[in-house]
Amino acid sequence: MEHIIYKKLPQEEARKLGLKVESSKKSEAFVSAFLKHCLPSVKTSAEEFLSRKAVVLEFDQKKKKRKRHKAKGFTAKERRELKLFTINPDQQRYDMYLPLHELWKQYIRDLCYGLRPDAQPQMIQNKILKADLHGAMVTVFKSKCPSYVGLTGIILQESKNILKIITKEDKLKVVPKLNCVFSAEIDGFITYIYGSKLQMRASERSAKKFKAKGSIDL
């Protein structure tokens, strides 16, 4: 067993380290007791078992991965109670949002590669359909409700079904997307957007693939 498991420490090394070397019988008795305690119960002797099989004396238990809990957001009722999307009357001023409109125009220019005269209208149309419309200057071109036709202003908020628009008269208007056609003009390029194609959240619209299908006129 001495040659298989352990080796006796030389006297010179033990003297340098200041250790007392035990007799070979005591060392063998300690190793045998340790192996009987650690090794599984086998019919063969420890020497035979070790000579033909590798034994792992330490067991490394795999750590369980903790599941990360996603932070729960506010419900629709809680958002209404907290008035997160309510625009206060003192903030309903048209001139306050003109810088936002200038930022939106620059955003569209960068998105559409400068709006060059030789650019394809279909490509620009698809880009604007997927773009963020907060800050866009739009006009209600057609609608089933005559009172909406001709309404012009800057989009302040967009939800799945409505647009909140601030007009030049400092009035906040809520316009439904359904049954409305909007027009937007930037650098001489006029695009017409059917509200029925916008009936989704802005984050969902950015990843949607729009198909070139004809739309039924209002």
Side-chain angles (χ1 to χ4, degrees):
M1 184 183 292
E2 181 178 350
H3 300 289
I4 300 175
I5 301 174
Y6 67 95
K7 186 178 181 182
K8 189 176 180 180
L9 187 67
Q11 292 289 343
E12 293 181 2
E13 298 292 336
R15 194 179 302 109
K16 290 179 182 179
L17 297 173
L19 300 175
K20 184 180 179 182
V21 181
E22 298 289 343
S23 62
S24 59
K25 291 183 179 181
K26 287 186 178 181
S27 300
E28 188 173 351
F30 170 77
V31 173
S32 298
F34 177 77
L35 291 175
K36 287 180 182 179
H37 178 73
C38 294
L39 295 178
S41 57
V42 291
K43 295 181 180 180
T44 58
S45 62
E47 293 85 346
E48 294 179 3
F49 182 78
L50 292 173
S51 63
R52 58 184 174 83
K53 187 175 182 180
V55 179
V56 180
L57 299 179
E58 294 183 1
F59 177 70
D60 186 15
Q61 187 176 4
K62 293 182 180 179
K63 295 181 180 179
K64 294 182 179 179
K65 294 182 180 179
R66 294 182 179 179
K67 293 183 180 180
R68 294 182 180 180
H69 297 283
K70 294 183 179 179
K72 188 179 180 182
F74 292 111
T75 62
K77 183 179 179 181
E78 290 172 342
R79 288 196 293 267
R80 285 194 297 269
E81 291 175 351
L82 294 172
K83 297 181 179 180
L84 295 178
F85 301 110
T86 302
I87 302 174
N88 298 325
D90 58 335
Q91 297 175 343
Q92 298 178 11
R93 293 189 288 113
Y94 179 80
D95 57 349
M96 183 184 293
Y97 301 100
L98 286 175
L100 177 64
H101 175 55
E102 294 299 323
L103 285 174
W104 183 82
K105 289 198 295 184
Q106 186 60 43
Y107 158 65
I108 294 298
R109 292 189 191 104
D110 296 340
L111 187 67
C112 299
Y113 312 108
L115 289 172
R116 299 188 303 271
D118 57 343
Q120 295 181 359
Q122 187 65 35
M123 181 271 292
I124 297 176
Q125 182 77 15
N126 290 334
K127 292 282 187 182
I128 292 177
L129 279 175
K130 295 183 178 183
D132 191 342
L133 296 178
H134 292 90
M137 181 83 71
V138 295
T139 300
V140 181
F141 182 68
K142 290 182 180 180
S143 177
K144 282 191 174 182
C145 182
S147 61
Y148 289 134
V149 178
L151 183 67
T152 303
I154 300 172
I155 297 176
L156 300 187
Q157 287 183 359
E158 178 189 2
S159 65
K160 183 177 180 180
N161 297 308
I162 63 168
L163 295 175
K164 289 185 179 180
I165 299 173
I166 186 75
T167 64
K168 293 182 179 180
E169 293 78 21
D170 296 337
K171 293 182 179 180
L172 186 66
K173 300 291 185 179
V174 180
V175 182
K177 293 180 180 180
L178 187 64
N179 298 327
C180 286
V181 180
F182 303 92
S183 65
E185 186 271 334
I186 176 172
D187 295 345
F189 181 84
I190 301 176
T191 180
Y192 296 95
I193 306 170
Y194 284 80
S196 57
K197 291 188 175 183
L198 298 179
Q199 281 191 297
M200 61 189 74
R201 296 180 179 87
S203 58
E204 298 173 353
R205 190 175 70 246
S206 62
K208 182 177 176 59
K209 291 184 179 180
F210 292 94
K211 296 181 180 179
K213 291 183 178 180
S215 299
I216 300 174
D217 198 2
L218 296 174

